Amino acid sequence: MHELRSFNKQLRKYKSFFRIRFSAGLQYRAAALAGIVTQFAWGAMGILGYKAFYNENPGSFPMSFEALTTYIWLQQAFLAIYMMWIIDYDLLRTITDGGIAYELCRPFELYSMWFIRCMADRLSKVVLRCMPILIFAAFLPKPYGMRLPQDPNAAIWFIITMVLGLLVTVSFGMLVYIINFFTLSPMGVRLVAASLVEFFAGAVIPLPFFPDGLRQAVELLPFASMQNVPLRIYSGDIHSTEIYLRAGLQLFWIIFLIFLGKRLIALALKRVVVQGG
Amino acid sequence: MKLYGKFFIMHLKEAMQYKVSFLLTTIGVFLVSFNVFLGIFFMYDRFHEIKGYQLSEILLCYATVLLSFSLAEMFLRGFDTFAGTIGNGEFDRILVRPRSPIFQIVLGKIAFTHIGRILLALCMFVYGIQASGIEWNIYKVVTLFLMVFGGTVIFGCLFIIYAAICFFTLEGLEFMNVLTDGAREYGKYPLDIYGKRVLRFCTYLVPYSLFQYYPFLYLTGRTEKSIYMWLPLVACLFFVPSYLLWRLGLRHYKSTGS
């Protein structure tokens, strides 16, 4: 009974921390508006490019054209959830300038606190941005617009795997932060990590467009468990029992990445020397 | 110009102080564009051609855009981070010095990390020049040179516009990314594949097609009109409105006080 109560207390603590970060993120409305316009233009250009390939040879298209447009609009709407480019500079600075000492004084476990912080930042960005893009895309004429999910089952699994995908992304992002305890070259590490993730997650071209053989291998990587799974479930490209397999793989990567992150941070903190001043 | 040489060497030395960091960043910048290259490659693996353009021609087209973007970004990086320059009061210091602000901003930063991108662009050039089956003569060489030159000027103007807007908003406008990063990304294919409306936008509003699409048609022998090879020079007129906007912003400038 006592343990349960203290667990509840812990949970409340993290919940309020989440709420603070989340509402702080909601303040940036002008930035969100600019972002919406930008993402809309990117999405539109992407679709026009694929359209040219589709007109060339519809038979070589690995998914239906409507599934692709839906994929791209969802990708733009939920960009902030999955994009590796988003980086919390304050958090990085904590590592490089010694602010870590204060962080360690707080009554939180470091890994969980940062994890929640990154999650809250991503979610607050997405809440501001996704609706206008989704609504606008839904009203576009036929092959260019977004469509509803194929069936209720797909809708439910879309939401579940989207949450799982967010957790994979955040736990991988944590590794990128933690590496900075060891290298102190935030820009470089971030660029390399982000561009690798972008490519293998299907942000440059969707994974079905990869050549056979390579694609099967890439789909096992943690990157394929980020945006690839939910977006393709929604558009009907992944269906029936395959859904459960992909979700299981996502779960595996979450556990693995969090475990790895926690081990690494423990290792890093052992080496941290906080100088006075 | 002598001053520029001095600053150039200074920035080079500065970059070399942190070798690992420099190397990692260079690799990162390279990878960003390499991703796009792989994307093109995979798409061509599947579709073989698009609107009659061969892979080698597309790579040549992407190489010109990428090279012009990298050159512009490398030397005009100061405009890209201009919001910060205004925000921290650095610009006030620039204004009191006896040199033109544009010159000083150009001097302020040189992003050598873009060398990664430039290398990638050069590799694609070499491949594209050999494999595209273009019959090279002096006119075609001049065309290629003008394409890169015109592109560098256009991207440079866009960076200046981006900075000029900062005078009014005090922060960078994310939308401008579409016109710079977006153009770099989507300029990989000749602009006509995106349809007539995009092509029109890219001719009359921001003259991308004048250095990319039309000279490219001449380069690959799709048209005999040699007037197309001079269009990149026409595109350079884009500098006039950009510079006027910069002047307007400069007059409008009020210090942030920090």
Side-chain angles (χ1 to χ4, degrees):
Chain A
M1 198 57 205
H2 178 73
E3 270 164 19
L4 193 69
R5 214 177 311 146
S6 89
F7 176 74
N8 252 333
K9 234 175 170 174
Q10 285 280 339
L11 203 66
R12 224 176 28 230
K13 205 165 65 179
Y14 286 110
K15 248 182 4 206
S16 45
F17 183 67
F18 176 84
R19 215 173 303 140
I20 292 170
R21 293 296 306 188
F22 186 71
S23 46
L26 288 184
Q27 301 307 314
Y28 298 94
R29 296 209 184 88
L33 187 69
I36 289 168
V37 179
T38 310
Q39 279 156 29
F40 203 80
W42 277 85
M45 284 303 280
I47 288 175
L48 287 174
Y50 283 110
K51 182 83 179 136
F53 279 107
Y54 186 76
N55 290 345
E56 193 70 39
N57 188 356
S60 296
F61 228 63
M63 55 210 287
S64 77
F65 192 71
E66 281 182 326
L68 177 85
T69 49
T70 307
Y71 181 100
I72 289 185
W73 287 127
L74 287 172
Q75 187 178 50
Q76 293 301 326
F78 296 110
L79 193 72
I81 287 195
Y82 300 112
M83 199 170 61
M84 258 306 144
W85 297 109
I86 295 179
I87 208 102
D88 188 339
Y89 284 104
D90 292 337
L91 205 159
L92 268 185
R93 224 168 290 137
T94 332
I95 297 178
T96 44
D97 77 356
I100 183 84
Y102 295 106
E103 297 283 283
L104 287 172
C105 296
R106 290 182 216 274
F108 293 102
E109 200 243 320
L110 194 62
Y111 186 89
S112 315
M113 180 170 69
W114 281 358
F115 195 95
I116 285 173
R117 177 175 171 166
C118 297
M119 217 161 72
D121 286 351
R122 282 174 186 273
L123 282 176
S124 63
K125 281 204 180 80
V126 137
V127 164
L128 282 176
R129 291 171 187 216
C130 70
M131 279 331 266
I133 298 179
L134 292 180
I135 292 170
F136 205 88
F139 282 105
L140 284 175
K142 235 209 154 183
Y144 300 107
M146 245 190 70
R147 59 170 186 201
L148 289 171
Q150 299 292 64
D151 53 89
N153 195 33
I156 293 167
W157 278 100
F158 165 68
I159 294 171
I160 296 174
T161 51
M162 188 143 91
V163 174
L164 292 176
L166 169 69
L167 294 176
V168 178
T169 311
V170 172
S171 52
F172 187 84
M174 287 296 289
L175 292 183
V176 178
Y177 288 119
I178 294 169
I179 286 176
N180 286 291
F181 277 109
F182 303 97
T183 64
L184 302 182
S185 166
M187 260 309 272
V189 172
R190 170 189 160 231
L191 268 172
V192 173
S195 38
L196 285 179
V197 171
E198 294 272 292
F199 193 72
F200 289 116
V204 180
I205 55 172
L207 293 190
F209 284 89
F210 278 45
D212 279 332
L214 181 66
R215 193 192 49 158
Q216 280 82 346
V218 167
E219 285 195 335
L220 293 176
L221 296 176
F223 315 116
S225 289
M226 295 172 178
Q227 50 179 303
N228 173 48
V229 177
L231 299 195
R232 279 170 63 198
I233 286 178
Y234 182 102
S235 55
D237 191 47
I238 294 177
H239 47 80
S240 57
T241 48
E242 218 190 328
I243 294 179
Y244 309 121
L245 282 175
R246 304 288 181 125
L249 192 63
Q250 282 184 307
L251 208 57
F252 164 76
W253 280 119
I254 294 169
I255 295 169
F256 179 81
L257 289 172
I258 290 183
F259 175 75
L260 193 68
K262 286 200 160 186
R263 286 305 297 269
L264 273 177
I265 211 165
L267 206 68
L269 288 181
K270 237 183 253 167
R271 300 179 358 143
V272 162
V273 178
V274 178
Q275 290 158 342
Chain B
M1 215 53 222
K2 220 167 114 191
L3 193 60
Y4 192 81
K6 276 209 173 122
F7 269 86
F8 188 87
I9 295 189
M10 190 183 88
H11 284 299
L12 193 64
K13 280 184 182 158
E14 185 190 329
M16 286 305 134
Q17 288 303 308
Y18 301 94
K19 288 210 179 60
V20 179
S21 176
F22 177 77
L23 195 71
L24 266 176
T25 313
T26 309
I27 294 175
V29 172
F30 168 82
L31 278 178
V32 174
S33 293
F34 189 68
N35 280 347
V36 179
F37 163 77
L38 272 184
I40 298 176
F41 194 74
F42 288 171
M43 289 305 275
Y44 261 82
D45 187 50
R46 190 173 281 277
F47 293 93
H48 309 299
E49 67 171 36
I50 172 173
K51 280 207 170 177
Y53 296 114
Q54 301 301 317
L55 177 62
S56 54
E57 293 172 322
I58 294 292
L59 290 184
L60 202 58
C61 177
Y62 182 44
T64 53
V65 174
L66 192 61
L67 186 62
S68 11
F69 179 87
S70 313
L71 288 174
E73 169 106 332
M74 183 157 140
F75 292 109
L76 299 182
R77 174 80 184 155
F79 288 101
D80 208 17
T81 52
F82 192 64
T85 315
I86 289 192
N88 64 18
E90 174 70 21
F91 192 64
D92 293 349
R93 280 163 63 190
I94 286 181
L95 281 180
V96 296
R97 292 189 194 130
R99 293 271 174 168
S100 90
I102 287 195
F103 184 63
Q104 289 187 56
I105 295 168
V106 170
L107 281 188
K109 220 170 235 168
I110 298 173
F112 285 105
T113 44
H114 284 268
I115 210 86
R117 242 180 215 147
I118 292 177
L119 277 179
L120 177 66
L122 291 179
C123 291
M124 290 194 296
F125 260 127
V126 172
Y127 175 77
I129 285 172
Q130 285 180 351
S132 57
I134 295 172
E135 285 167 36
W136 292 95
N137 54 35
I138 184 74
Y139 296 110
K140 304 252 157 137
V141 175
V142 172
T143 309
L144 198 59
F145 176 77
L146 285 178
M147 282 169 81
V148 174
F149 175 76
T152 312
V153 172
I154 296 294
F155 280 119
C157 291
L158 287 169
F159 288 133
I160 293 177
I161 291 177
Y162 176 77
I165 291 175
C166 292
F167 282 126
F168 302 101
T169 59
L170 296 183
E171 55 178 287
L173 276 188
E174 203 184 330
F175 180 69
M176 282 299 288
N177 288 353
V178 177
L179 298 181
T180 52
D181 294 336
R184 181 196 71 214
E185 180 112 331
Y186 291 114
K188 60 193 172 190
Y189 301 128
L191 288 167
D192 65 327
I193 76 149
Y194 299 108
K196 280 215 176 66
R197 252 170 281 176
V198 174
L199 186 62
R200 228 172 280 152
F201 175 90
C202 294
T203 308
Y204 299 112
L205 275 168
V206 185
Y208 300 113
S209 67
L210 297 189
F211 76 83
Q212 195 236 28
Y213 174 61
Y214 292 112
F216 182 73
L217 289 184
Y218 176 75
L219 189 72
T220 53
R222 284 188 169 71
T223 172
E224 290 301 316
K225 290 182 205 154
S226 58
I227 182 86
Y228 281 4
M229 77 182 266
W230 302 109
L231 283 179
L233 293 179
V234 179
C236 293
L237 288 177
F238 192 57
F239 180 71
V240 178
S242 326
Y243 186 70
L244 288 179
L245 189 68
W246 168 262
R247 296 292 306 186
L248 189 72
L250 198 61
R251 227 176 311 146
H252 182 270
Y253 173 70
K254 283 194 197 80
S255 171
T256 53
S258 41

Tab-separated table of all heavy atoms in Angstrom, chain A residues 98-133:
chain	number	residue	atom	x	y	z
A	98	GLY	N	27.970	22.544	-18.099
A	98	GLY	CA	28.020	22.215	-16.680
A	98	GLY	C	26.718	22.433	-15.929
A	98	GLY	O	26.638	22.183	-14.736
A	99	GLY	N	25.689	22.893	-16.641
A	99	GLY	CA	24.385	23.064	-15.996
A	99	GLY	C	23.846	21.742	-15.481
A	99	GLY	O	22.907	21.703	-14.685
A	100	ILE	N	24.469	20.683	-15.929
A	100	ILE	CA	24.082	19.339	-15.504
A	100	ILE	C	24.072	19.210	-13.982
A	100	ILE	O	23.283	18.461	-13.409
A	100	ILE	CB	25.052	18.318	-16.147
A	100	ILE	CG1	24.677	16.876	-15.826
A	100	ILE	CG2	26.479	18.544	-15.733
A	100	ILE	CD1	23.662	16.351	-16.731
A	101	ALA	N	24.926	19.995	-13.335
A	101	ALA	CA	24.996	19.928	-11.867
A	101	ALA	C	23.651	20.283	-11.246
A	101	ALA	O	23.195	19.637	-10.307
A	101	ALA	CB	26.076	20.873	-11.368
A	102	TYR	N	23.001	21.315	-11.815
A	102	TYR	CA	21.683	21.694	-11.293
A	102	TYR	C	20.665	20.605	-11.566
A	102	TYR	O	19.827	20.296	-10.721
A	102	TYR	CB	21.209	22.994	-11.942
A	102	TYR	CG	22.060	24.168	-11.596
A	102	TYR	CD1	22.942	24.712	-12.507
A	102	TYR	CD2	21.964	24.743	-10.324
A	102	TYR	CE1	23.720	25.794	-12.179
A	102	TYR	CE2	22.750	25.828	-9.976
A	102	TYR	CZ	23.624	26.346	-10.916
A	102	TYR	OH	24.403	27.412	-10.591
A	103	GLU	N	20.753	20.052	-12.784
A	103	GLU	CA	19.788	19.025	-13.159
A	103	GLU	C	19.853	17.849	-12.194
A	103	GLU	O	18.847	17.258	-11.842
A	103	GLU	CB	20.056	18.529	-14.579
A	103	GLU	CG	19.910	19.570	-15.670
A	103	GLU	CD	18.465	19.864	-16.025
A	103	GLU	OE1	17.840	19.069	-16.728
A	103	GLU	OE2	17.983	20.911	-15.566
A	104	LEU	N	21.079	17.545	-11.758
A	104	LEU	CA	21.243	16.401	-10.872
A	104	LEU	C	20.681	16.678	-9.486
A	104	LEU	O	20.366	15.762	-8.738
A	104	LEU	CB	22.725	16.035	-10.779
A	104	LEU	CG	23.274	15.357	-12.031
A	104	LEU	CD1	24.767	15.199	-11.935
A	104	LEU	CD2	22.615	14.012	-12.254
A	105	CYS	N	20.560	17.972	-9.153
A	105	CYS	CA	20.019	18.318	-7.839
A	105	CYS	C	18.501	18.176	-7.784
A	105	CYS	O	17.913	18.134	-6.716
A	105	CYS	CB	20.370	19.750	-7.483
A	105	CYS	SG	22.124	20.003	-7.328
A	106	ARG	N	17.867	18.172	-8.932
A	106	ARG	CA	16.406	18.114	-8.930
A	106	ARG	C	15.917	16.752	-8.464
A	106	ARG	O	16.609	15.748	-8.649
A	106	ARG	CB	15.881	18.372	-10.339
A	106	ARG	CG	16.060	19.786	-10.797
A	106	ARG	CD	15.473	19.937	-12.182
A	106	ARG	NE	16.262	20.855	-12.985
A	106	ARG	CZ	16.087	22.182	-12.976
A	106	ARG	NH1	15.171	22.705	-12.200
A	106	ARG	NH2	16.834	22.952	-13.720
A	107	PRO	N	14.694	16.728	-7.915
A	107	PRO	CA	14.189	15.466	-7.380
A	107	PRO	C	13.641	14.549	-8.469
A	107	PRO	O	12.604	13.926	-8.314
A	107	PRO	CB	13.072	15.929	-6.444
A	107	PRO	CG	12.557	17.164	-7.080
A	107	PRO	CD	13.747	17.819	-7.719
A	108	PHE	N	14.304	14.518	-9.617
A	108	PHE	CA	13.864	13.635	-10.691
A	108	PHE	C	15.013	12.733	-11.063
A	108	PHE	O	16.180	13.075	-10.874
A	108	PHE	CB	13.489	14.424	-11.945
A	108	PHE	CG	12.284	15.273	-11.802
A	108	PHE	CD1	12.392	16.632	-11.604
A	108	PHE	CD2	11.022	14.700	-11.889
A	108	PHE	CE1	11.273	17.421	-11.498
A	108	PHE	CE2	9.904	15.491	-11.778
A	108	PHE	CZ	10.024	16.855	-11.575
A	109	GLU	N	14.633	11.624	-11.671
A	109	GLU	CA	15.666	10.783	-12.248
A	109	GLU	C	16.002	11.401	-13.604
A	109	GLU	O	15.099	11.748	-14.380
A	109	GLU	CB	15.115	9.367	-12.398
A	109	GLU	CG	16.170	8.313	-12.514
A	109	GLU	CD	16.070	7.637	-13.838
A	109	GLU	OE1	14.957	7.388	-14.295
A	109	GLU	OE2	17.138	7.395	-14.423
A	110	LEU	N	17.284	11.598	-13.902
A	110	LEU	CA	17.697	12.399	-15.053
A	110	LEU	C	17.107	11.890	-16.367
A	110	LEU	O	16.529	12.655	-17.140
A	110	LEU	CB	19.223	12.412	-15.131
A	110	LEU	CG	19.810	13.468	-16.055
A	110	LEU	CD1	19.446	14.856	-15.587
A	110	LEU	CD2	21.322	13.326	-16.140
A	111	TYR	N	17.246	10.587	-16.617
A	111	TYR	CA	16.793	10.046	-17.896
A	111	TYR	C	15.303	10.285	-18.085
A	111	TYR	O	14.867	10.807	-19.110
A	111	TYR	CB	17.104	8.548	-17.980
A	111	TYR	CG	16.785	7.955	-19.327
A	111	TYR	CD1	17.743	7.942	-20.325
A	111	TYR	CD2	15.524	7.428	-19.613
A	111	TYR	CE1	17.460	7.412	-21.575
A	111	TYR	CE2	15.230	6.907	-20.850
A	111	TYR	CZ	16.203	6.896	-21.828
A	111	TYR	OH	15.916	6.385	-23.061
A	112	SER	N	14.513	9.963	-17.061
A	112	SER	CA	13.061	10.100	-17.196
A	112	SER	C	12.679	11.556	-17.389
A	112	SER	O	11.788	11.876	-18.186
A	112	SER	CB	12.362	9.563	-15.952
A	112	SER	OG	12.927	8.354	-15.582
A	113	MET	N	13.378	12.438	-16.680
A	113	MET	CA	13.033	13.849	-16.770
A	113	MET	C	13.274	14.361	-18.192
A	113	MET	O	12.412	15.011	-18.778
A	113	MET	CB	13.878	14.643	-15.779
A	113	MET	CG	13.580	16.121	-15.811
A	113	MET	SD	14.362	16.968	-14.454
A	113	MET	CE	16.074	16.858	-14.869
A	114	TRP	N	14.424	14.044	-18.743
A	114	TRP	CA	14.721	14.489	-20.106
A	114	TRP	C	13.797	13.829	-21.116
A	114	TRP	O	13.380	14.444	-22.094
A	114	TRP	CB	16.191	14.187	-20.435
A	114	TRP	CG	17.120	15.181	-19.842
A	114	TRP	CD1	16.770	16.281	-19.123
A	114	TRP	CD2	18.540	15.166	-19.903
A	114	TRP	NE1	17.889	16.962	-18.739
A	114	TRP	CE2	18.993	16.302	-19.201
A	114	TRP	CE3	19.477	14.320	-20.476
A	114	TRP	CZ2	20.340	16.611	-19.067
A	114	TRP	CZ3	20.827	14.619	-20.354
A	114	TRP	CH2	21.244	15.762	-19.645
A	115	PHE	N	13.491	12.576	-20.870
A	115	PHE	CA	12.598	11.852	-21.776
A	115	PHE	C	11.257	12.566	-21.850
A	115	PHE	O	10.730	12.844	-22.928
A	115	PHE	CB	12.409	10.423	-21.251
A	115	PHE	CG	11.828	9.479	-22.257
A	115	PHE	CD1	12.654	8.684	-23.026
A	115	PHE	CD2	10.460	9.373	-22.425
A	115	PHE	CE1	12.129	7.802	-23.955
A	115	PHE	CE2	9.932	8.502	-23.351
A	115	PHE	CZ	10.768	7.713	-24.122
A	116	ILE	N	10.727	12.909	-20.685
A	116	ILE	CA	9.428	13.580	-20.633
A	116	ILE	C	9.509	14.958	-21.269
A	116	ILE	O	8.609	15.389	-21.984
A	116	ILE	CB	8.954	13.653	-19.174
A	116	ILE	CG1	8.472	12.276	-18.766
A	116	ILE	CG2	7.846	14.689	-19.007
A	116	ILE	CD1	8.138	12.147	-17.332
A	117	ARG	N	10.621	15.610	-21.026
A	117	ARG	CA	10.815	16.940	-21.590
A	117	ARG	C	10.774	16.900	-23.123
A	117	ARG	O	10.062	17.677	-23.754
A	117	ARG	CB	12.168	17.444	-21.108
A	117	ARG	CG	12.565	18.760	-21.634
A	117	ARG	CD	13.844	19.160	-20.959
A	117	ARG	NE	14.397	20.336	-21.588
A	117	ARG	CZ	15.360	21.068	-21.053
A	117	ARG	NH1	15.855	20.731	-19.889
A	117	ARG	NH2	15.817	22.120	-21.671
A	118	CYS	N	11.512	15.963	-23.713
A	118	CYS	CA	11.523	15.853	-25.180
A	118	CYS	C	10.147	15.490	-25.711
A	118	CYS	O	9.700	16.009	-26.738
A	118	CYS	CB	12.508	14.788	-25.634
A	118	CYS	SG	14.190	15.160	-25.200
A	119	MET	N	9.471	14.596	-25.012
A	119	MET	CA	8.150	14.168	-25.450
A	119	MET	C	7.186	15.347	-25.427
A	119	MET	O	6.432	15.560	-26.380
A	119	MET	CB	7.659	13.061	-24.534
A	119	MET	CG	6.883	12.006	-25.242
A	119	MET	SD	6.822	10.512	-24.255
A	119	MET	CE	5.711	10.992	-22.969
A	120	ALA	N	7.228	16.115	-24.334
A	120	ALA	CA	6.312	17.249	-24.204
A	120	ALA	C	6.571	18.286	-25.284
A	120	ALA	O	5.642	18.838	-25.872
A	120	ALA	CB	6.461	17.876	-22.818
A	121	ASP	N	7.852	18.538	-25.585
A	121	ASP	CA	8.179	19.523	-26.613
A	121	ASP	C	7.624	19.103	-27.962
A	121	ASP	O	7.013	19.891	-28.681
A	121	ASP	CB	9.704	19.688	-26.716
A	121	ASP	CG	10.255	20.461	-25.547
A	121	ASP	OD1	9.439	20.995	-24.772
A	121	ASP	OD2	11.483	20.523	-25.405
A	122	ARG	N	7.852	17.838	-28.304
A	122	ARG	CA	7.368	17.359	-29.596
A	122	ARG	C	5.847	17.427	-29.681
A	122	ARG	O	5.290	17.881	-30.675
A	122	ARG	CB	7.836	15.926	-29.838
A	122	ARG	CG	9.286	15.862	-30.263
A	122	ARG	CD	9.777	14.444	-30.350
A	122	ARG	NE	11.205	14.442	-30.620
A	122	ARG	CZ	11.734	14.492	-31.842
A	122	ARG	NH1	10.942	14.525	-32.892
A	122	ARG	NH2	13.033	14.513	-32.013
A	123	LEU	N	5.183	16.982	-28.601
A	123	LEU	CA	3.721	16.963	-28.635
A	123	LEU	C	3.147	18.369	-28.728
A	123	LEU	O	2.192	18.607	-29.472
A	123	LEU	CB	3.179	16.243	-27.401
A	123	LEU	CG	3.277	14.724	-27.501
A	123	LEU	CD1	2.815	14.078	-26.212
A	123	LEU	CD2	2.433	14.211	-28.660
A	124	SER	N	3.746	19.322	-28.007
A	124	SER	CA	3.165	20.665	-28.052
A	124	SER	C	3.339	21.266	-29.444
A	124	SER	O	2.457	21.976	-29.933
A	124	SER	CB	3.803	21.560	-26.990
A	124	SER	OG	5.171	21.713	-27.246
A	125	LYS	N	4.455	20.965	-30.101
A	125	LYS	CA	4.633	21.471	-31.461
A	125	LYS	C	3.580	20.888	-32.391
A	125	LYS	O	3.015	21.584	-33.230
A	125	LYS	CB	6.023	21.087	-31.971
A	125	LYS	CG	7.113	21.973	-31.441
A	125	LYS	CD	8.302	21.964	-32.371
A	125	LYS	CE	9.404	22.863	-31.850
A	125	LYS	NZ	10.218	22.225	-30.794
A	126	VAL	N	3.347	19.593	-32.241
A	126	VAL	CA	2.419	18.923	-33.147
A	126	VAL	C	0.985	19.381	-32.934
A	126	VAL	O	0.237	19.576	-33.887
A	126	VAL	CB	2.563	17.393	-32.970
A	126	VAL	CG1	1.230	16.718	-32.949
A	126	VAL	CG2	3.400	16.848	-34.097
A	127	VAL	N	0.606	19.591	-31.680
A	127	VAL	CA	-0.763	20.009	-31.399
A	127	VAL	C	-1.078	21.320	-32.104
A	127	VAL	O	-2.150	21.513	-32.666
A	127	VAL	CB	-0.967	20.148	-29.879
A	127	VAL	CG1	-2.218	20.931	-29.558
A	127	VAL	CG2	-1.024	18.779	-29.252
A	128	LEU	N	-0.068	22.223	-32.134
A	128	LEU	CA	-0.299	23.510	-32.789
A	128	LEU	C	-0.372	23.378	-34.304
A	128	LEU	O	-1.043	24.137	-34.964
A	128	LEU	CB	0.834	24.472	-32.437
A	128	LEU	CG	0.772	25.103	-31.062
A	128	LEU	CD1	2.000	25.954	-30.830
A	128	LEU	CD2	-0.473	25.947	-30.913
A	129	ARG	N	0.346	22.426	-34.843
A	129	ARG	CA	0.520	22.409	-36.296
A	129	ARG	C	-0.374	21.445	-37.051
A	129	ARG	O	-0.696	21.689	-38.207
A	129	ARG	CB	1.972	22.062	-36.643
A	129	ARG	CG	2.916	23.151	-36.256
A	129	ARG	CD	4.338	22.737	-36.390
A	129	ARG	NE	5.191	23.788	-35.836
A	129	ARG	CZ	6.361	24.125	-36.330
A	129	ARG	NH1	6.840	23.498	-37.358
A	129	ARG	NH2	7.060	25.086	-35.781
A	130	CYS	N	-0.724	20.326	-36.433
A	130	CYS	CA	-1.278	19.254	-37.267
A	130	CYS	C	-2.660	19.560	-37.831
A	130	CYS	O	-2.921	19.297	-38.993
A	130	CYS	CB	-1.272	17.936	-36.516
A	130	CYS	SG	-2.446	17.852	-35.184
A	131	MET	N	-3.549	20.156	-37.018
A	131	MET	CA	-4.936	20.275	-37.467
A	131	MET	C	-5.102	21.065	-38.758
A	131	MET	O	-5.735	20.577	-39.692
A	131	MET	CB	-5.812	20.867	-36.343
A	131	MET	CG	-6.231	19.854	-35.314
A	131	MET	SD	-6.386	18.168	-35.906
A	131	MET	CE	-8.106	18.103	-36.299
A	132	PRO	N	-4.536	22.289	-38.854
A	132	PRO	CA	-4.730	23.036	-40.113
A	132	PRO	C	-4.262	22.257	-41.334
A	132	PRO	O	-4.952	22.256	-42.367
A	132	PRO	CB	-3.880	24.290	-39.914
A	132	PRO	CG	-3.693	24.412	-38.463
A	132	PRO	CD	-3.756	23.043	-37.892
A	133	ILE	N	-3.142	21.578	-41.211
A	133	ILE	CA	-2.631	20.834	-42.366
A	133	ILE	C	-3.571	19.692	-42.720
A	133	ILE	O	-3.942	19.509	-43.880
A	133	ILE	CB	-1.226	20.276	-42.072
A	133	ILE	CG1	-0.259	21.431	-41.815
A	133	ILE	CG2	-0.726	19.425	-43.224
A	133	ILE	CD1	1.141	21.002	-41.501
